[in-house]
Amino acid sequence: MPGFELWSDAERKEVNDVLETGILMRYGFDVQRKGVWKAKELEQEICKRFGSKHAHLLSSGTAALTTAMAALGIGSGDEVIMPSFTFVASFEAVLSVGAIPVLVDVDETLTLDPAAVRKAITQKTKCVMPVHMCGSMADMNALVAICKEHSLLLLEDACQSIGATYKGKSLGTIGDAGTFSFDFVKTMTCGEGGVVLTNNEEVFIKCERYTDHGHDHKGVDRGADLHPFLGYNFRISELHAAVGLAQVKRVDQFLAIQKKNYTALKNILSQVPEISFRSIPDADGDSCTFISWFLPTEEITRNVVNELKALGIAAGNFYWYDNNWHYVKKWHHLKNATSLNRLHEDQKTALQKLTLQDFSASDAVMSRCISTAISLLWNPQQIMEKGEKIVAVVKEALQKNLKQA
Ligand SMILES: Cc1ncc(COP(=O)(O)O)c(C=O)c1O
């Protein structure tokens, strides 16, 4: 997810505008900033580009999830249904508002299995949180229907899927709220940063205040602000917003290159009939940051992963099943409820039950999956070489498996 790969004069120019004024904060200093409002400008650009009524920038994608949950009224004891395959930030945000992450299986979309969501609904369920992993989407029609049927909130973690769409709508704009991350390795970056997208004005206003100590932003100066509720400091700086402002104007260029490189690599991998690909509910909407592919068994997949490592071409080919950050199997700190501060007993009890939970359906998918990150810097020759090396490794592993059978 490499916005950073194409660093340019455009980013330097936007940052320099801020350095010229010396006003690094997004609020206040109206005279000194001489009309330079990078965070505000980026919010407007995001609304325009991604088709959201409102956008509120903040310091990270994690802060965006936390803020969205608070603004949607998710709190103590509420259950949030989320997938077993995501980044740790998704459950960190749930826990930070006092709620309980309820982990359910993923299917070959690598996101929430709608049938597993249905099964997990209880009296305490407040929200369903699909995580649009690796650039592509959950089955949003199915999830929207479930949320309507059970009067649940729908919060989209689209941190990894900037620019992806589902039936013409940007991911992150379909639910009650959605989030993007603009950390250093996302499709577009601010260095660090994130955004909450929502079409609900009340939710937007709550986000805007919550991320700035609850200040109501109505005072004639900042010190005159009142506090309709408690808040925190999750502000983005003008320097970070300036980088994002340059990047959002280049995001279509990034997405076009990603799509081209993805298609070229997919054509090569498709030569092997035993390779199958991630199922994508709306293939036209894939942002193509990764190509995720499956092999017939865990054993063959492990052999391929090991060989890619041995040949020094493992970088960029992710085997999430063994990854410490992204899959439930290795989230020992979560399952042991290891926290610096005391968690609520309900949270602790729920987390400790995760050790006993059956994730075999997710294991069956994730243990056979490899995701190859798509670079913007590859040329056609490099794609060909990379693809052919992978194909050779896969064919050898399939042969070895046949011999052993
Ligand atoms: C799915 C997902 N959600 C949330 C986040 C958190 O974003 P940030 O790193 O900006 O806090 C990430 C970051 O990698 C992510 O991949």
Side-chain angles (χ1 to χ4, degrees):
M1 294 170 282
F4 74 89
E5 287 184 328
L6 294 183
W7 188 253
S8 75
D9 282 346
E11 286 79 2
R12 277 185 281 274
K13 187 253 165 213
E14 297 293 348
V15 171
N16 270 333
D17 286 352
V18 178
L19 294 177
E20 291 288 322
T21 67
I23 305 302
L24 311 186
M25 189 185 191
R26 71 160 298 176
Y27 296 115
F29 303 92
D30 293 27
V31 176
Q32 296 95 318
R33 67 193 316 132
K34 300 185 185 128
V36 175
W37 298 90
K38 297 297 178 188
K40 269 192 198 171
E41 223 185 302
L42 177 53
E43 284 164 351
Q44 285 161 9
E45 288 294 327
I46 287 170
C47 286
K48 239 193 307 173
R49 170 59 186 79
F50 299 101
S52 181
K53 270 197 192 144
H54 307 283
H56 181 63
L57 279 169
L58 18 63
S59 52
S60 70
T62 313
L65 286 168
T66 303
T67 298
M69 282 187 217
L72 291 170
I74 298 164
S76 182
D78 293 332
E79 292 180 353
V80 177
I81 296 177
M82 52 168 282
S84 58
F85 172 53
T86 176
F87 177 52
V88 291
S90 313
F91 61 72
E92 288 165 2
V94 176
L95 291 170
S96 73
V97 296
I100 296 170
V102 173
L103 269 51
V104 305
D105 281 319
V106 294
D107 57 21
E108 289 204 358
T109 62
L110 301 186
T111 63
L112 284 177
D113 171 2
V117 171
R118 273 190 191 281
K119 273 197 215 143
I121 294 171
T122 71
Q123 291 293 324
K124 290 187 186 165
T125 307
K126 179 99 179 202
C127 177
V128 175
M129 180 167 68
V131 184
H132 303 298
M133 283 297 278
C134 304
S136 183
M137 79 240 31
D139 180 348
M140 290 307 287
N141 271 2
L143 296 177
V144 166
I146 292 172
C147 288
K148 277 205 176 124
E149 199 181 310
H150 294 271
S151 303
L152 302 174
L153 293 162
L154 182 60
L155 169 59
E156 294 174 82
D157 179 343
C159 286
Q160 290 199 6
S161 295
I162 297 166
T165 57
Y166 178 75
K167 300 196 190 294
K169 285 189 181 166
S170 289
L171 298 189
T173 67
I174 298 165
D176 296 284
T179 62
F180 291 163
S181 161
F182 300 133
D183 75 23
F184 192 55
V185 290
K186 295 301 185 284
T187 306
M188 58 168 271
T189 186
C190 291
E192 295 285 358
V195 71
V196 179
L197 305 166
T198 181
N199 293 318
N200 181 324
E201 189 177 5
E202 200 182 317
V203 170
F204 164 69
I205 292 171
K206 285 179 179 168
C207 289
E208 206 241 350
R209 293 173 176 180
Y210 185 78
T211 53
D212 188 25
H213 304 288
H215 299 329
D216 68 0
H217 298 150
K218 283 184 178 167
V220 284
D221 60 47
R222 278 179 62 76
D225 280 340
L226 297 173
H227 302 93
F229 47 75
L230 296 168
Y232 298 90
N233 176 3
F234 294 145
R235 291 189 302 262
I236 194 164
S237 82
E238 284 286 278
L239 287 171
H240 291 88
V243 175
L245 186 57
Q247 291 252 308
V248 77
K249 294 174 185 166
R250 305 176 69 211
V251 78
D252 286 315
Q253 178 201 349
F254 300 162
L255 291 166
I257 300 171
Q258 272 180 187
K259 196 161 204 133
K260 181 165 66 76
N261 292 353
Y262 170 104
T263 307
L265 187 58
K266 186 169 181 186
N267 286 341
I268 300 170
L269 298 183
S270 300
Q271 294 164 17
V272 184
E274 289 85 353
I275 292 181
S276 60
F277 294 92
R278 171 184 191 172
S279 92
I280 300 179
D282 177 1
D284 291 340
D286 189 352
S287 70
C288 298
T289 53
F290 284 90
I291 182 162
S292 296
W293 43 288
F294 300 106
L295 288 162
T297 65
E298 174 178 346
E299 193 189 347
I300 296 169
T301 314
R302 283 194 180 280
N303 285 340
V304 167
V305 169
N306 291 339
E307 190 56 21
L308 291 175
K309 261 189 212 151
L311 293 175
I313 47 175
N317 289 297
F318 293 88
Y319 187 49
W320 306 117
Y321 190 51
D322 283 350
N323 183 290
N324 291 337
W325 290 16
H326 290 284
Y327 187 56
V328 63
K329 187 157 71 85
K330 295 284 186 78
W331 292 339
H332 305 302
H333 65 314
L334 179 72
K335 292 186 252 187
N336 294 328
T338 312
S339 171
L340 290 181
N341 55 330
R342 197 150 33 88
L343 294 176
H344 190 281
E345 278 310 310
D346 290 351
Q347 288 179 312
K348 233 163 132 177
T349 310
L351 295 184
Q352 283 162 350
K353 279 190 196 152
L354 286 173
T355 316
L356 304 173
Q357 193 174 328
D358 175 16
F359 287 106
S360 54
S362 301
D363 290 344
V365 171
M366 299 309 300
S367 63
R368 296 183 299 106
C369 178
I370 296 174
S371 294
T372 306
I374 303 295
S375 169
L376 301 182
L377 301 177
W378 290 340
N379 63 38
Q381 179 66 25
Q382 288 168 321
I383 298 172
M384 178 85 81
E385 282 168 14
K386 191 175 185 73
E388 284 180 352
K389 273 186 194 162
I390 296 174
V391 163
V393 169
V394 169
K395 283 186 174 165
E396 199 183 304
L398 290 167
Q399 276 296 328
K400 195 169 141 196
N401 182 64
L402 263 183
K403 278 188 203 148
Q404 282 169 352

